[in-house]
Amino acid sequence: MVLQSRKQAPKGYIPGLGRGAAGFTTRSDIGPAAPALGSSDDALTSSAAAGGSRAAEQRAAKLAMQRRRQQEQQQQQSTTSQVAVPGPFGVAPIGYVAGMGRGAGGVAAASEGDSSLGRGPESHHIGGAQDDQYDDDDEEADRIYEEIEERMKKRRKKNAGQEAQNSTLNNIGSQFRELKENLATVSESEWAAIPDVGDYSLRYKQKRKQDTFTPITDSLLESRSIVNSDATSGNVSLTGTVQATDIGNGPNSSGFKSVVSNMSGLAEARGTVLGMSLDRMSDSVTGQTVVDPKGYLTSLSNTKLASNAEIGDINKARLLLKSVRDTNPHHGPGWIAAARVEEAAGKTLQARKLIQEGCEACPTNEDVWLEAARLHPPDMAKTILASAVRHIPTSVKLFLRAAELETNDDSKKAVLRKGLEMNPTSVTLWKEAIELEDAEDAKILLSVAVEKVPQSIDMWLALAKLETYDNARKVLNQARRALPTERSIWIAAAKLEESQNHDDMVDIIVQKAVKSLAKHDAIVTREQWLKEAEMAEAAQAPITSAAIIKHTIGIAVDVEDRRRTWADDANGALSRGAIATARAILAHSLAAFPSKRSLWMQAVELERKHGNSKSLDDVLAAASERLPKQEIFWLLRAKEKWTLGDIEKAREILTQAFAANPNSEPIWLAAAKLEWEIGEIDRARVLFSRARERAPSDRVYMKSALLERELQQYDDALSLIDQGLEIYPQFPKLYMMGGQICSEDLAPNKENLDRARFFFEKGLKNCPNSFVLWILSSRLEERAPSLLSNNNNNNSSTGVGFTKARSLLELARLKNPKCPELWIEAIRLERRAGNDKLAITLMARALQECPNSGLLLAENISTSPRPERKAKSADAIKRNPDDPLVITAVASLFASERKMDKARKWFERAVVLNPDLGDTWAKYYVFECESGDETKVKSVMDRCIASDPKHGEVWCSIMKDMKNRKKSVREGLELAKEHFLSKRKDT
């Protein structure tokens, strides 16, 4: 309804223009009779508007309207200056456009050169909308487009100018081609007469170089080389045959000469230069070359070339040191540094020149003269040093350097004697001169030297060593009077007396030395005296060392701290390898504290490791005499005699021990064992019987039963065990032995197995905390069905034994919580039964209850699959890093991976942590045997024998077996090796 009510659209209305719609013109709007557009600007504008978008149409209309207004303004200005001509309707007003009131667009006259905007509705449409659509923004946009167009025109013009200039330059270069060709005929004098082109600008005025070189032509170089061929190559022509062909007359000629040189001359010149270089490198003294002919080219390839940074640093150092020399020309280190910079830069001649100037500027500086001597050849260095000693006659270094430059001893002696004339109190010159002389001449020089330099202790001692005994005593007495506060003279006198076997005089001299030094207020600390004692021992003077210890060990030590301090001193000396000093300290300590058992044990260990059998027996005899109630010294002495094969002496010692300790169990057992080991069974039985009467103990009954078991007197053994259990029911080893005799030694029948069960059950009742009893009882129940089935020829296997053993171990873990041995036995039981998954579960539970148990951690490593062992090893080390079982397991893992060095390192760590563990020694021995190094195998065997291990699961099972009881440690190690190798094959 709204649309219908509207009438005709207003003038200039464009539908959709307010909401951004663009108009368009169709062919039907133009019509078939539309005239063609002209070539004028208005025509082009109308054409663009007709074929483009609505925005383009509007812009074209605005441009046309702007031009039209400008033309109208010009016309108005012209009409105002002229007289208006009235028409038929009178004079038109200013700005009047015919037809503007009815919507017609202005049309310029054809005489003014403007073409029509076209006929038809589109032209009228655009003309009617011109005044309302063109604003300031459109004007600014038109202005920007015009500026851009102007700039593009300038750029095109500039590019066209450059192209024209390049073409001009190319033409200029071609013009000088003929002149360049004529340069080949320029002579050397004409070339030299060409003036230099200088740069006289202010910027480069100060930086201009003094010498300017102008490149010359090839022809001039060729002619100069022909003239100077003899001078450059040693009468060898370098140029060869020169062929010059002028081909400038042909049609295809280039105007150049072709020069062909013979290259054989260059090769000959290269050989000549190499020979001259080798001649320069020859030794200036002997005339022999110092260059290795074979490695010469290799050394050239290794030559270091200075980089730009290094060259820059050298130049900076030169400027800095030049400033130092200019500021203080008498400063010697500046000259030395400058010369060394030049030497480092490879300019030896410049370095020599600088150091010569330094010698002139600093004639009293010995370091400058020494540097000059170093930089010059030996012959020139001698001359330099001769001049130096004239300027500085008291310089010892100059004379020593001059003596070093001499090649024979006579010349050296002459230089040193000249130096001694100038410096008679120089100890260094005296020592150098004396070293060149033989014994007799040295003695004469020393006698003069001690007169000139009486304060030199080295001169006195050297003279005393060269003299005879009587003269040496006189010399030392003179030295003592000259130097009353020097302890070295007293010690030298003591050593002199010891060398003559005057042992009593040694102690007297050291005693006088201590008093004399104290009288003259010479402060000598206790540590200095101990060091002197160790030095005396190193000089093969143990008596002097002992005398020093005797008279100085108590200096500045409190009475209550003497024993502890002296024990520490002995250990410290022993750690430094001073055995005699440590022995002397312990002897003095025992003299002051004769009843201290720890000091006696320390002395016994010292003699056992570093002494001999006689010294050990002397210490043990003295200890037994001082401490007769200490059975250990009697037993050790008897064992040493028994080991050496002196049975009668061992019996005598034990008899004395009986007299001092009549009811001592260890002495009774030692006496019985002695007779037992040598085969005197009857005497051993008698001794055991007396021991049970006079000194009864659980160990006495156990050893008595063990003797009868070894002799296979099982009934007597069981009778002794019963007697012992009546007296000592809490001793678990008797129950163990009774059960083992019934289950292992006697016939495997039901009666004996019941007797064994009785022993174990009784033992578990009286000793519930003994895990060994629980383990032995479970193993008996595990083996019982198989033993009975074998005895009855019945091979049927049942799980009754495993069930009973499992029950016992569970009960044992309830009564003994956190016991890793019981957990290990339960895990191994399940593995023997084939329950691997249950064994893994038990291992996890065991590690939860005993997370830091080395036994469990080691078992977990060895039984885990190979891919998991590394992770298990890392976890075990993190939990318990110092357990020898864990360390051994890790070492075995490295050995299985053939990491020999790591495995050996970890095995060493394990045996150091616990040398009493036989299993570790056995695994280490197996590893070294597989490595194939006989030296290391023997070393491990000897160390194991010295350690005499007593513990270890496998080790104890082997060594405590009745058939192996008398085997040595060496044999036990071999048996353990076989056990581990067989176990490895089974797995």
Side-chain angles (χ1 to χ4, degrees):
M1 296 297 292
V2 177
L3 294 175
Q4 292 177 0
S5 61
R6 289 183 179 178
K7 296 180 180 182
Q8 188 178 0
K11 187 184 298 184
Y13 172 75
I14 299 174
L17 184 62
R19 58 180 182 270
F24 58 92
T25 303
T26 63
R27 186 66 182 175
S28 61
D29 296 332
I30 301 174
L37 298 177
S39 58
S40 62
D41 294 339
D42 293 339
L44 291 174
T45 304
S46 301
S47 176
S53 63
R54 183 61 182 174
E57 295 173 358
Q58 294 177 359
R59 184 177 294 108
K62 292 175 183 179
L63 291 174
M65 191 64 185
Q66 185 178 9
R67 294 191 185 94
R68 192 174 293 111
R69 287 180 179 178
Q70 292 177 357
Q71 293 175 2
E72 290 176 354
Q73 291 176 0
Q74 292 176 0
Q75 291 177 0
Q76 291 175 1
Q77 291 176 1
S78 62
T79 55
T80 54
S81 60
Q82 295 177 4
V83 178
V85 180
F89 300 100
V91 180
I94 298 174
Y96 171 76
V97 178
M100 181 66 69
R102 58 180 181 271
V107 178
S111 60
E112 295 175 359
D114 294 335
S115 62
S116 175
L117 291 173
R119 305 169 183 262
E122 183 64 21
S123 61
H124 296 284
H125 169 72
I126 296 173
Q130 294 298 322
D131 295 337
D132 297 335
Q133 300 296 325
Y134 192 82
D135 53 5
D136 295 337
D137 294 338
D138 296 331
E139 184 179 359
E140 184 180 0
D142 294 337
R143 181 178 54 81
I144 292 173
Y145 278 112
E146 291 176 358
E147 291 178 357
I148 293 174
E149 182 65 23
E150 188 69 22
R151 187 177 298 176
M152 295 298 295
K153 289 181 180 180
K154 291 180 180 180
R155 182 178 296 179
R156 287 192 293 269
K157 183 177 181 181
K158 181 179 180 181
N159 293 336
Q162 288 181 354
E163 293 178 358
Q165 185 178 2
N166 292 336
S167 61
T168 305
L169 290 176
N170 293 333
N171 295 331
I172 294 174
S174 61
Q175 293 175 4
F176 285 95
R177 179 177 180 181
E178 184 177 357
L179 296 176
K180 290 180 181 179
E181 293 176 354
N182 295 332
L183 289 176
T185 60
V186 176
S187 64
E188 182 177 1
S189 59
E190 292 176 348
W191 189 267
I194 296 175
D196 296 335
V197 179
D199 187 358
Y200 296 98
S201 63
L202 182 62
R203 180 179 179 183
Y204 297 101
K205 188 173 183 179
Q206 300 297 331
K207 297 182 179 180
R208 188 169 61 250
K209 295 183 179 180
Q210 297 296 328
D211 297 332
T212 303
F213 299 96
T214 304
I216 58 179
T217 61
D218 295 339
S219 59
L220 186 60
L221 288 173
E222 186 68 24
S223 61
R224 186 62 178 267
S225 63
I226 294 173
V227 174
N228 299 330
S229 61
D230 291 338
T232 56
S233 61
N235 295 327
V236 177
S237 177
L238 298 179
T239 58
T241 304
V242 179
Q243 299 176 356
T245 304
D246 189 0
I247 57 175
N249 298 325
N252 299 324
S253 65
S254 59
F256 292 101
K257 285 185 177 181
S258 176
V259 181
V260 181
S261 299
N262 186 3
M263 301 305 294
S264 62
L266 296 176
E268 294 176 357
R270 183 182 61 181
T272 304
V273 173
L274 180 61
M276 295 171 65
S277 300
L278 292 175
D279 293 339
R280 284 197 301 269
M281 291 186 185
S282 62
D283 191 356
S284 60
V285 177
T286 60
Q288 301 294 327
T289 180
V290 294
V291 178
D292 183 11
K294 298 180 179 179
Y296 176 69
L297 296 179
T298 305
S299 64
L300 289 180
S301 63
N302 295 331
T303 303
K304 181 180 179 182
L305 299 178
S307 62
N308 294 332
E310 292 176 350
I311 293 173
D313 294 340
I314 291 173
N315 292 333
K316 290 180 182 179
R318 285 172 179 161
L319 293 175
L320 179 62
L321 293 174
K322 185 177 184 303
S323 176
V324 172
R325 296 195 307 271
D326 295 342
T327 304
N328 188 3
H330 301 291
H331 184 62
W335 294 99
I336 295 173
R340 291 185 178 178
V341 167
E342 298 299 336
E343 182 185 11
K347 298 183 177 181
T348 307
L349 296 177
Q350 183 66 20
R352 292 174 181 174
K353 180 179 178 181
L354 279 174
I355 203 64
Q356 287 176 358
E357 295 177 1
C359 293
E360 296 174 358
C362 308
T364 59
N365 192 317
E366 63 180 6
D367 294 332
V368 177
W369 290 104
L370 291 173
E371 185 69 14
R374 187 185 67 83
L375 291 174
H376 286 79
D379 293 338
M380 184 64 68
K382 293 178 183 179
T383 305
I384 292 173
L385 291 175
S387 302
V389 296
R390 285 194 295 269
H391 289 87
I392 318 173
T394 59
S395 176
V396 177
K397 293 181 180 180
L398 293 176
F399 284 104
L400 292 175
R401 179 59 181 160
E404 291 177 1
L405 293 176
E406 299 295 338
T407 57
N408 54 64
D409 292 341
D410 293 335
S411 299
K412 290 183 178 181
K413 292 177 183 179
V415 172
L416 291 174
R417 288 175 182 174
K418 184 67 175 179
L420 288 173
E421 292 178 2
M422 300 295 182
N423 303 277
T425 60
S426 174
V427 178
T428 307
L429 289 176
W430 280 111
K431 288 182 179 180
E432 293 291 333
I434 291 168
E435 287 179 357
L436 296 174
E437 305 291 343
D438 54 10
E440 294 298 328
D441 294 338
K443 192 185 300 182
I444 297 172
L445 282 179
L446 283 171
S447 60
V448 178
V450 295
E451 294 178 359
K452 299 293 185 180
V453 194
Q455 71 276 8
S456 176
I457 182 62
D458 296 333
M459 298 293 182
W460 288 106
L461 296 179
L463 181 59
K465 289 180 181 179
L466 294 176
E467 295 286 353
T468 60
Y469 170 68
D470 295 332
N471 292 334
R473 293 183 63 184
K474 295 178 181 178
V475 169
L476 291 175
N477 287 330
Q478 295 176 3
R480 179 174 53 81
R481 288 191 291 269
L483 301 170
T485 60
E486 184 57 52
R487 62 182 181 276
S488 301
I489 299 173
W490 292 97
I491 296 175
K495 292 178 182 178
L496 178 63
E497 297 297 337
E498 184 177 357
S499 65
Q500 301 297 320
N501 297 324
H502 299 162
D503 297 343
D504 53 346
M505 291 297 298
V506 174
D507 187 77
I508 296 173
I509 290 173
V510 173
Q511 184 178 7
K512 288 183 177 181
V514 175
K515 294 180 180 179
S516 176
L517 292 173
K519 180 179 178 181
H520 290 87
D521 297 331
I523 300 175
V524 184
T525 62
R526 181 172 169 276
E527 288 73 15
Q528 290 176 337
W529 281 117
L530 290 176
K531 186 176 181 180
E532 291 290 346
E534 294 179 5
M535 293 173 61
E537 179 185 354
Q540 306 299 323
I543 298 176
T544 302
S545 175
I548 294 172
I549 293 297
K550 177 181 177 182
H551 294 286
T552 61
I553 192 64
I555 296 176
V557 178
D558 296 335
V559 177
E560 59 272 11
D561 295 336
R562 288 187 300 170
R563 182 174 66 85
R564 179 183 57 80
T565 304
W566 292 344
D568 294 340
D569 292 339
N571 291 329
L574 194 61
S575 65
R576 292 187 292 271
I579 309 302
T581 304
R583 187 180 289 116
I585 294 173
L586 287 175
H588 183 76
S589 303
L590 290 171
F593 302 98
S595 60
K596 294 299 180 180
R597 181 177 179 274
S598 60
L599 289 176
W600 284 108
M601 289 301 297
Q602 190 174 356
V604 169
E605 289 297 326
L606 173 65
E607 298 300 334
R608 178 183 292 176
K609 293 180 180 179
H610 305 285
N612 50 35
S613 58
K614 184 179 181 303
S615 62
L616 178 59
D617 185 70
D618 293 340
V619 173
L620 289 172
S624 302
E625 183 179 356
R626 291 287 186 178
L627 302 173
K629 297 299 181 180
Q630 298 289 335
E631 299 97 338
I632 183 65
F633 299 114
W634 296 105
L635 297 177
L636 288 175
R637 189 183 180 196
K639 184 178 180 180
E640 291 295 329
K641 293 297 181 182
W642 169 45
T643 306
L644 295 174
D646 193 352
I647 305 300
E648 293 299 328
K649 186 64 176 178
R651 287 174 177 169
E652 181 183 349
I653 293 172
L654 289 175
T655 302
Q656 296 175 5
F658 276 125
N661 303 278
N663 298 323
S664 175
E665 172 201 335
I667 295 177
W668 281 106
L669 293 177
K673 184 179 180 180
L674 175 62
E675 302 299 337
W676 185 359
E677 295 293 339
I678 64 177
E680 297 289 342
I681 304 300
D682 294 334
R683 298 185 66 172
R685 283 174 173 169
V686 171
L687 288 173
F688 276 128
S689 177
R690 290 180 182 178
R692 291 194 299 271
E693 293 175 359
R694 299 181 183 181
S697 67
D698 49 6
R699 294 186 70 250
V700 171
Y701 278 96
M702 183 188 67
K703 293 293 184 181
S704 302
L706 186 61
L707 173 62
E708 300 300 334
R709 183 185 179 187
E710 184 178 349
L711 297 174
Q712 298 182 358
Q713 301 296 326
Y714 301 119
D715 294 336
D716 295 337
L718 292 174
S719 176
L720 289 171
I721 290 173
D722 292 335
Q723 295 176 17
L725 289 175
E726 291 177 1
I727 305 174
Y728 306 101
Q730 305 296 326
F731 188 59
K733 289 188 177 182
L734 290 176
Y735 297 108
M736 298 176 196
M737 188 180 294
Q740 288 174 345
I741 291 174
C742 295
S743 62
E744 298 177 4
D745 298 334
L746 297 179
N749 51 39
K750 188 175 184 304
E751 180 182 358
N752 292 332
L753 291 178
D754 290 340
R755 291 180 66 183
R757 285 193 182 99
F758 173 77
F759 274 110
F760 289 138
E761 290 174 359
K762 189 175 179 181
L764 293 175
K765 182 179 180 181
N766 293 318
C767 307
N769 296 327
S770 176
F771 65 86
V772 180
L773 270 176
W774 288 102
I775 293 174
L776 291 177
S777 179
S778 67
R779 290 178 182 177
L780 175 63
E781 296 299 337
E782 180 185 354
R783 293 185 295 111
S786 61
L787 292 176
L788 292 176
S789 63
N790 292 334
N791 191 28
N792 296 330
N793 296 324
N794 183 9
N795 296 327
S796 61
S797 177
T798 61
V800 178
F802 291 109
T803 303
K804 289 184 178 181
R806 190 181 297 115
S807 300
L808 278 173
L809 290 174
E810 290 178 358
L811 182 61
R813 295 199 302 273
L814 290 175
K815 293 188 176 182
N816 299 278
K818 297 183 179 180
C819 182
E821 290 81 5
L822 294 175
W823 281 106
I824 286 292
E825 186 62 25
I827 293 168
R828 292 174 180 173
L829 173 66
E830 299 302 336
R831 293 190 185 278
R832 291 193 294 268
N835 300 325
D836 292 337
K837 293 185 177 179
L838 183 56
I840 295 173
T841 304
L842 286 175
M843 177 62 76
R845 291 174 56 194
L847 289 174
Q848 289 179 356
E849 186 172 341
C850 307
N852 297 325
S853 172
L855 183 62
L856 287 172
L857 293 172
E859 182 74 12
N860 190 26
I861 294 172
S862 59
T863 57
S864 297
R866 183 175 294 273
E868 300 179 5
R869 290 182 182 178
K870 286 188 177 181
K872 297 293 179 65
S873 299
D875 181 65
I877 294 172
K878 187 180 297 183
R879 293 188 181 189
N880 197 344
D882 296 328
D883 190 275
L885 295 176
V886 174
I887 302 301
T888 304
V890 175
S892 300
L893 176 61
F894 285 133
S896 65
E897 296 176 352
R898 308 306 298 168
K899 297 179 180 179
M900 311 304 287
D901 295 335
K902 287 186 176 181
R904 185 174 291 109
K905 179 181 178 181
W906 284 79
F907 273 124
E908 282 290 336
R909 182 181 174 189
V911 297
V912 169
L913 285 173
N914 188 4
D916 195 47
L917 198 60
D919 292 358
T920 302
W921 285 110
K923 292 180 180 180
Y924 194 8
Y925 183 67
V926 171
F927 166 74
E928 292 297 350
C929 289
E930 291 179 345
S931 66
D933 194 340
E934 295 297 333
T935 304
K936 294 180 179 178
V937 170
K938 186 177 182 302
S939 174
V940 172
M941 173 69 76
D942 295 340
R943 291 168 61 190
C944 180
I945 294 173
S947 299
D948 192 14
K950 300 294 184 184
H951 297 86
E953 183 181 1
V954 176
W955 183 262
C956 291
S957 65
I958 292 174
M959 298 303 293
K960 290 186 177 181
D961 194 351
M962 294 308 299
K963 62 178 177 292
N964 301 327
R965 202 190 64 80
K966 291 187 176 181
K967 292 187 180 296
S968 63
V969 176
R970 183 186 300 273
E971 295 171 337
L973 196 59
E974 293 291 342
L975 292 174
K977 169 189 171 184
E978 295 175 1
H979 170 81
F980 285 116
L981 290 177
S982 62
K983 184 178 178 181
R984 185 186 301 174
K985 291 179 181 178
D986 295 339
T987 56

